[in-house]
Amino acid sequence: AQMESSAGVSTAPSFDNGGDNTTVFPLSSSTVLKINKGDISKWFVDGSSDAIVNPANEKMLGGGGADRAIHRAAGPELLDACYKVPEVQPGVRCPTGEARITPGFKLPASHVIHTVGPIYETDRNAASSLKNAYRNSFTVAKDNNIKYIAFPAISCGVYGYPYEEAASVAISTVKEFADDLKEVHFVLFLDDIYNVWLKKAKQLLLP
Ligand code: AR6
């Protein structure tokens, strides 16, 4: 473990389970936001009340991007658990904007919260769909006594959401719904996205 940076300033490595460049922001008196660079499939805090969020699709049976990395690290039991999530329509286990939870199996984190962000080009309410994906991930987390949660940049890969707009939705929604959790993390794979998130967090969270 290394030193953590103070609120919103500079970057000391502290996400030593697979990431680095952690910056800490206050969300409330009891909740902090940490923005990390790294691979979300390696993230954990305590291995029992922690969850990573998988940016999945409505079928919930795997895919590319972070979804692929998460399934690979979790092992085949994760796919089995996803198959057991009931379909709400033929081929749809998790409609856009909703969230479902499974165990983490071989992942270092104890749980996976699967959510589905909007496809930017075709979702006419992309911002509200993205907000719902974050909000419903929090609802599922709280219902399952999760205290630590890590999000990737939902919809910013295959689903084509512009980074700046996504960062505004992500950070403002986290600010609104993070109560009852101890730590909310973003684990961002790309330098560009990490930098956009940091800038937006400074704008929205620091005085
Ligand atoms: N850790 C953290 N972030 C990652 C990782 C990782 N290991 N790998 C990629 N990213 P995407 P979406 C970043 O495409 O846009 C899948 O096929 C990536 O750089 O994973 O919501 C699903 O099955 C990007 O910034 O998710 C769906 O079909 C962010 O994670 C579809 O893609 C999200 O990119 C969902 O698309």
Side-chain angles (χ1 to χ4, degrees), residues 33 35 45-46 52 54 61-62 70 74 91 93 135 138 150 169 180:
L33 174 68
I35 299 183
V45 172
D46 65 3
I52 63 170
N54 181 20
L61 298 177
I70 289 166
R93 290 181 180 73
R135 178 170 50 195
F138 278 116
V169 173
D180 298 340

Side-chain angles (χ1 to χ4, degrees), residues 19 25 39 56 62 75 80-81 85-86 89-91 100 127 141 145 151 156 167 172 184:
F25 295 87
D39 176 353
D80 295 343
V85 172
Q89 294 166 48
R100 302 287 186 267
N145 284 314
F151 290 96
C156 286
S172 60
V184 179

Side-chain angles (χ1 to χ4, degrees), residues 5-166:
S5 56
S6 57
V9 195
S10 177
T11 54
S14 74
F15 169 30
D16 51 15
N17 43 27
D20 56 25
N21 290 64
T22 300
T23 305
V24 185
F25 295 87
L27 286 171
S28 72
S29 55
S30 55
T31 309
V32 295
L33 174 68
K34 297 188 178 184
I35 299 183
N36 315 280
K37 235 189 270 187
D39 176 353
I40 201 165
S41 72
K42 297 191 162 68
W43 180 94
F44 69 99
V45 172
D46 65 3
S48 64
S49 66
D50 47 5
I52 63 170
V53 175
N54 181 20
N57 56 60
E58 292 188 331
K59 287 195 185 72
M60 245 188 85
L61 298 177
D67 197 356
R68 172 166 295 158
I70 289 166
H71 273 274
R72 192 188 294 127
E77 285 169 302
L78 181 59
L79 188 58
D80 295 343
C82 287
Y83 269 108
K84 289 183 185 136
V85 172
E87 290 183 335
V88 294
Q89 294 166 48
V92 177
R93 290 181 180 73
C94 184
T96 300
E98 295 191 17
R100 302 287 186 267
I101 193 165
T102 65
F105 301 104
K106 292 193 173 65
L107 289 166
S110 59
H111 294 81
V112 180
I113 294 172
H114 307 261
T115 192
V116 181
I119 300 172
Y120 187 75
E121 283 298 326
T122 56
D123 188 328
R124 293 170 68 221
N125 300 303
S128 64
S129 296
L130 186 60
K131 180 172 179 140
N132 285 338
Y134 283 100
R135 178 170 50 195
N136 286 316
S137 295
F138 278 116
T139 302
V140 167
K142 292 173 195 179
D143 287 348
N144 288 275
N145 284 314
I146 300 298
K147 295 296 175 191
Y148 305 91
I149 190 168
F151 290 96
I154 298 167
S155 285
C156 286
V158 173
Y159 282 178
Y161 213 111
Y163 303 162
E164 297 258 356
E165 289 177 43

